[in-house]
Amino acid sequence: MSSPKVLVIGCGIAGPVVALLLQKKGYEPLVFEKVRELGDAGASLMMFPNGLKVLSKVGMAHFITDSATRVTKFCDRDSHGTDLGVSDLPNIFVEEYGFPGCGVKRAGLNMKLKERLAAVGIPVFEGWKLKEVIEDENGVIAVSEDGREVRGSFLIGCDGLRAVSRSLVGREHRVREGMAEYTGLTQASHKFYLMRAYADHRQTAGMSTTPPYLKEHPTMLNIYGPGAHFICYPVSPNTTSWAITQEELEEAPETWKLSSGSELLQQRTQLLDQFKAWCSPVPELIQGAERIVKYGLYDRPQLEPEYWYSPTGRVVLIGDAAHPTSPHLGQGANQALEDCYHLDRLLPEFDKDEALSSEKLIEAFAAFAKLRQPRTAALVKGARAQGDSRVVKGINASMERDDRLRKSWQDNEAITAKYDVLFREPF
Ligand SMILES: Cc1cc2nc3c(=O)[nH]c(=O)nc-3n(C[C@H](O)[C@H](O)[C@H](O)COP(=O)(O)OP(=O)(O)OC[C@H]3O[C@@H](n4cnc5c(N)ncnc54)[C@H](O)[C@@H]3O)c2cc1C
């Protein structure tokens, strides 16, 4: 019997990594990506030890740790420049967990993962957008938007926030989802789980040259002011990535388009006008922005474990397809990587004498979903709560938030324990 063909939908973060892991296990992964050529959306990610451990399993952690600047400090500050809390905790990450925390440009990571797939002979079909799946007892057929069909043993939906794979699994369970705000509607045998705009929060993000004092002390810096939250961290020795979260009630469609030329100038001027009174490095980073992008923040209500895979057992969801999150805990990609590790671990070894039955797959997927759902659901909720508590309006609410933050930094044990729960995993 030949190796089971695994159809991996999405070449973001989870897709390539689960493909690389499964190839090592003797499976034959094929990766399908809707985008024709991966572009540069200008965004960045904080990678933490839990995610980097998984990347190390496929020889990819060094790409980040060799080229990135390790964060050595966490700092929370109010918008007048008074520190609310500072910690050297990131310095112990390598000793405690084997890996540091560091920022990375998303496009660079995507590109490296794609190169790795090519290097080990895993095909990537670009411009191939999943539209439909047809399952039977022996396998699955994936159908692209333009009518191409491919058959495999099973399919892994790694197609992110607006996953088609998720709607298709939902359809098999008679669970319907939409893209509007959560309404809590239920109707006859259909449940409606709707994607929700993250409390109407929007982020404006940019990349700028790192100011000298941040070069000396690479810091993940959060700055809190009335109605807005600012975060920045290094993504290379000379470049700092930053993002401002604010409430914006108008329902603008999400766009990841980079502002350029006159647009960039206009955005910079507007932002500078709004944030000129904020402490350093906010104005300088805005002023020095070489790129600016604006987008909405989304998550989705938690999906019960039985909806993470189809009843026939030929489709399973991982990463943002299963548990998209707002970015306030910096865990979406890191959790997607934990998913890859556990799914790979729980799938049976390739057995050349026995076909992969639906029963075996359901057993593995059920164990996977049961293990992963509580942790990821808690983190999605936690990220939402973190965002809500960061962006508050009015002087009194801002002062209360700052007091709360100041107090929380005094409890060193609680802070260490909070990170320990995240970074001890997944092995
Ligand atoms: C502003 C922002 C900041 C963030 N910061 C962090 C951070 O600091 N740390 C962190 O850990 N996480 C962060 N995240 C979350 C992180 O980006 C996601 O959790 C992570 O990218 C999920 O990986 P994924 O592979 O599941 O999905 P994605 O990375 O979204 O990849 C999905 C892929 O599937 C493709 N695709 C979609 N539909 C189809 C289809 N129908 N057919 C074929 N292909 C398809 C897409 O083009 C894409 O390439 C952040 C998110 C945002 C929005």
Side-chain angles (χ1 to χ4, degrees):
M1 203 140 339
S2 55
S3 311
K5 241 182 212 167
V6 187
L7 312 179
V8 176
I9 309 298
C11 193
I13 293 183
V17 173
V18 80
L20 289 163
L21 287 167
L22 288 176
Q23 188 197 46
K24 286 172 125 193
K25 203 174 175 126
Y27 290 69
E28 188 192 337
L30 311 173
V31 180
F32 301 88
E33 168 57 52
K34 75 171 178 187
V35 174
R36 266 180 208 290
E37 215 172 293
L38 290 173
D40 182 0
S44 64
L45 299 168
M46 252 324 272
M47 297 306 299
F48 286 111
N50 53 333
L52 289 169
K53 281 188 233 177
V54 181
L55 285 175
S56 74
K57 290 234 145 222
V58 293
M60 290 301 297
H62 66 86
F63 153 68
I64 294 179
T65 51
D66 289 356
S67 59
T69 302
R70 296 169 184 206
V71 164
T72 58
K73 250 181 209 278
F74 289 151
C75 177
D76 279 5
R77 192 171 281 169
D78 71 19
S79 58
H80 306 293
T82 306
D83 284 350
L84 303 168
V86 183
S87 167
D88 291 332
L89 191 65
N91 279 325
I92 63 150
F93 289 170
V94 174
E95 198 184 315
E96 278 295 309
Y97 310 113
F99 288 94
C102 35
V104 61
K105 288 185 189 168
R106 183 189 292 261
L109 175 60
N110 288 148
M111 208 52 79
K112 283 287 165 195
L113 288 170
K114 220 178 95 181
E115 280 169 23
R116 183 82 185 157
L117 293 174
V120 299
I122 297 177
V124 181
F125 300 88
E126 288 171 299
W128 198 108
K129 183 174 180 192
L130 180 73
K131 182 169 181 220
E132 183 57 87
V133 292
I134 305 157
E135 294 179 74
D136 61 39
E137 290 269 292
N138 302 311
V140 60
I141 295 170
V143 185
S144 71
E145 204 171 48
D146 55 7
R148 285 173 283 173
E149 290 188 5
V150 55
R151 187 171 177 90
S153 171
F154 63 97
L155 179 147
I156 309 180
C158 314
D159 39 347
L161 173 68
R162 292 183 167 76
V164 171
S165 60
R166 176 167 168 143
S167 328
L168 296 173
V169 168
R171 182 188 65 190
E172 297 306 301
H173 285 288
R174 296 176 60 77
V175 172
R176 289 240 313 260
E177 296 190 289
M179 298 299 178
E181 268 185 311
Y182 179 68
T183 65
L185 278 180
T186 58
Q187 189 187 60
S189 59
H190 284 109
K191 285 185 186 168
F192 286 80
Y193 289 111
L194 302 176
M195 172 120 61
R196 37 188 189 192
Y198 173 55
D200 301 309
H201 284 170
R202 301 270 179 283
Q203 264 189 354
T204 309
M207 300 260 185
S208 309
T209 302
T210 304
Y213 79 91
L214 282 179
K215 267 193 193 166
E216 266 173 55
H217 305 286
T219 304
M220 190 169 102
L221 174 63
N222 288 285
I223 304 183
Y224 301 82
H229 163 256
F230 179 97
I231 185 169
C232 68
Y233 52 83
V235 289
S236 75
N238 291 318
T239 310
T240 288
S241 174
W242 53 266
I244 299 169
T245 308
Q246 301 182 73
E247 219 174 82
E248 245 180 59
L249 292 173
E250 116 249 8
E251 187 51 60
E254 184 189 30
T255 166
W256 282 92
K257 193 169 79 69
L258 280 174
S259 306
S260 58
S262 58
E263 257 178 354
L264 178 65
L265 198 64
Q266 195 193 357
Q267 290 242 35
R268 257 197 332 227
T269 311
Q270 262 175 16
L271 280 173
L272 264 179
D273 197 39
Q274 191 186 349
F275 291 96
K276 58 178 183 273
W278 281 43
C279 67
S280 173
V282 179
E284 351 22 329
L285 286 174
I286 294 172
Q287 177 68 54
E290 290 144 21
R291 37 178 57 217
I292 290 183
V293 62
K294 197 170 176 187
Y295 43 84
L297 300 181
Y298 292 88
D299 63 17
R300 281 178 128 163
Q302 68 179 59
L303 206 54
E304 293 308 317
E306 62 269 29
Y307 301 141
W308 284 38
Y309 54 96
S310 63
T312 318
R314 296 285 166 182
V315 180
V316 65
L317 310 174
I318 67 172
D320 272 14
H323 45 76
T325 178
S326 60
H328 296 288
L329 293 177
Q331 275 295 310
N334 290 290
Q335 289 304 312
L337 291 167
E338 285 192 16
D339 283 352
C340 295
Y341 171 78
H342 286 296
L343 182 63
D344 171 58
R345 182 177 67 75
L346 290 162
L347 276 164
E349 291 297 328
F350 164 51
D351 179 351
K352 66 179 174 23
D353 299 321
E354 204 187 332
L356 206 45
S357 67
S358 288
E359 289 72 32
K360 271 196 182 166
L361 286 171
I362 287 176
E363 198 184 317
F365 295 162
F368 165 72
K370 203 170 151 211
L371 173 76
R372 296 295 297 146
Q373 198 267 1
R375 178 164 163 94
T376 53
L379 287 168
V380 173
K381 266 195 201 145
R384 177 174 271 261
Q386 175 90 314
D388 286 343
S389 69
R390 280 175 166 175
V391 181
V392 295
K393 282 199 169 142
I395 300 290
N396 287 346
S398 297
M399 280 168 60
E400 277 167 28
R401 172 202 55 203
D402 295 353
D403 268 353
R404 210 174 42 242
L405 283 165
R406 205 177 285 110
K407 280 192 193 115
S408 74
W409 281 104
Q410 284 159 12
D411 190 347
N412 207 27
E413 235 170 71
I415 290 172
T416 310
K418 181 177 93 180
Y419 288 108
D420 193 61
V421 165
L422 290 174
F423 304 156
R424 281 252 165 254
E425 298 287 325
F427 55 88

